[in-house]
Amino acid sequence: MIKQRGAAIVGVFVLALSAHVFGQWITYPTPNVPRLPDGQPNLKAPAPRQADGKPDFIGFWQPDRQRECTPDLASRVRLAQPCEPGKTVMVQNGPASVPGGLPLQPWAAELAKKRAAELSKDDPHPRCQPDNYPRVYWLPHFTKMFFVPGELLMLNEWNAEFRQVYTDGRSFPEFMHPIYSGYSIGKWDGDTFVVTTKGFRDDQWLDTPGNPITDAATTTERITRPNFGTLNIQVTVDDPKAYTKPFTIDMNMKIMIDTQMIEEFCLENERDSARLSAPTGGK
């Protein structure tokens, strides 16, 4: 169900738009990008700052499995290949990146095993249901972030999902009606933006293999922007209902230059889910 962005663009736009319009819209220049002498984006340039001096997260972001090899990287992320100092290395993404695996409660381990054996046929994502944060971070869709007074807003192109992270000093409501992405409050710790989220719906999927996240979960995200082209997000999941102890997912997101978000809807006339468990060649 999840397709690469290029394939999605071809399917959505090539039949609908001329090449001329396509080029003008999707490849629209990104303003205020630091450039190298040859005109290429300088992704290692310093991160932009807001008026108050705090880092700005403005931009379009996608997961990045390419990480610079550092001595401590293997202790934070499960590697997909040997790590050579001074080079980049491919890493696992999302919960699969946690060294040693997830500390699942017995019932949750059995459920995840069952879902994997069934090839994730009941995954809510291809069934057009909303995704939760943090799962949105490791799906291959664009997320647009920007600060406005009192909030960090996150817009995701999948089904026009949005997230509000409140920065106005409010506390969590006494009663939180469970919602997909929960209720999020953010504050600064130096140059690190710390987001605490509670109030999730029960029995959501944390990833495509089917590891769960429940209504007992509290997540803590520590977001930094070490340079213009990178966001580092460390998500700690504390869900005693599904896991024996908290665990942390360490990932990078890369900025996408000279492009725009597109509508990617999975709402009406969805027919994929009926085929997820169909035999090979079935209708």
Side-chain angles (χ1 to χ4, degrees):
M1 179 63 185
I2 300 174
K3 299 179 175 64
Q4 296 296 323
R5 183 177 179 82
I9 291 175
V10 170
V12 174
F13 288 94
V14 167
L15 298 179
L17 302 177
S18 70
H20 177 70
V21 175
F22 176 86
Q24 288 188 346
W25 178 248
I26 298 302
T27 60
Y28 195 83
T30 301
N32 303 319
V33 175
R35 302 278 177 176
L36 296 168
D38 63 0
Q40 294 300 309
N42 183 5
L43 302 183
K44 298 294 186 180
R49 299 270 172 170
Q50 303 179 69
D52 62 2
K54 296 299 183 182
D56 201 343
F57 299 157
I58 189 167
F60 300 110
W61 301 96
Q62 259 197 331
D64 188 7
R65 293 187 60 200
Q66 292 276 357
R67 298 286 291 269
E68 184 176 347
C69 187
T70 59
D72 66 334
L73 185 62
S75 67
R76 297 184 286 116
V77 179
R78 184 182 294 177
L79 306 181
Q81 61 192 89
C83 188
E84 299 182 34
K87 296 185 178 181
T88 58
V89 62
M90 290 289 289
V91 301
Q92 299 293 339
N93 200 9
S97 71
V98 177
L102 300 183
L104 291 153
Q105 295 280 6
W107 73 266
E110 191 63 29
L111 177 61
K113 181 179 178 181
K114 177 178 180 292
R115 288 171 171 172
E118 295 173 342
L119 303 179
S120 303
K121 68 179 181 65
D122 295 323
D123 185 352
H125 180 80
R127 293 173 181 272
C128 304
Q129 296 180 32
D131 296 308
N132 61 76
Y133 283 85
R135 187 181 183 186
V136 166
Y137 288 140
W138 33 89
L139 288 169
H141 312 286
F142 280 12
T143 298
K144 182 178 183 178
M145 300 187 190
F146 55 97
F147 286 97
V148 298
E151 298 179 29
L152 170 66
L153 293 180
M154 300 185 182
L155 309 179
N156 189 263
E157 59 190 357
W158 172 257
N159 280 348
E161 291 184 7
F162 69 92
R163 182 193 192 193
Q164 300 173 98
V165 180
Y166 294 102
T167 62
D168 56 6
R170 70 181 66 189
S171 57
F172 286 101
E174 183 176 350
F175 172 75
M176 291 182 286
H177 181 79
I179 56 178
Y180 286 96
S181 286
Y183 297 79
S184 297
I185 293 175
K187 62 181 181 180
W188 288 100
D189 178 11
D191 280 352
T192 300
F193 190 63
V194 182
V195 182
T196 303
T197 304
K198 304 178 181 181
F200 292 96
R201 288 172 58 102
D202 201 23
D203 195 28
Q204 294 193 79
W205 289 41
L206 191 60
D207 56 6
T208 301
N211 292 298
I213 183 170
T214 76
D215 56 0
T218 298
T219 64
T220 304
E221 300 157 45
R222 298 183 64 84
I223 307 175
T224 58
R225 189 172 183 177
N227 52 49
F228 181 83
T230 307
L231 281 185
N232 178 253
I233 304 177
Q234 298 178 12
V235 184
T236 298
V237 178
D238 185 359
D239 186 352
K241 187 172 176 180
Y243 300 92
T244 60
K245 62 181 180 180
F247 58 91
T248 298
I249 299 163
D250 186 316
M251 68 170 295
N252 279 355
M253 299 188 82
K254 59 185 176 182
I255 197 165
M256 308 306 293
I257 302 295
D258 297 338
T259 188
Q260 297 290 310
M261 296 177 70
I262 61 173
E263 291 183 341
E264 188 173 348
F265 283 102
C266 176
L267 293 174
E268 298 179 4
N269 201 29
E270 182 273 316
R271 298 181 181 181
D272 284 353
S273 60
R275 294 173 168 80
L276 295 179
S277 58
T280 302
K283 299 295 185 180

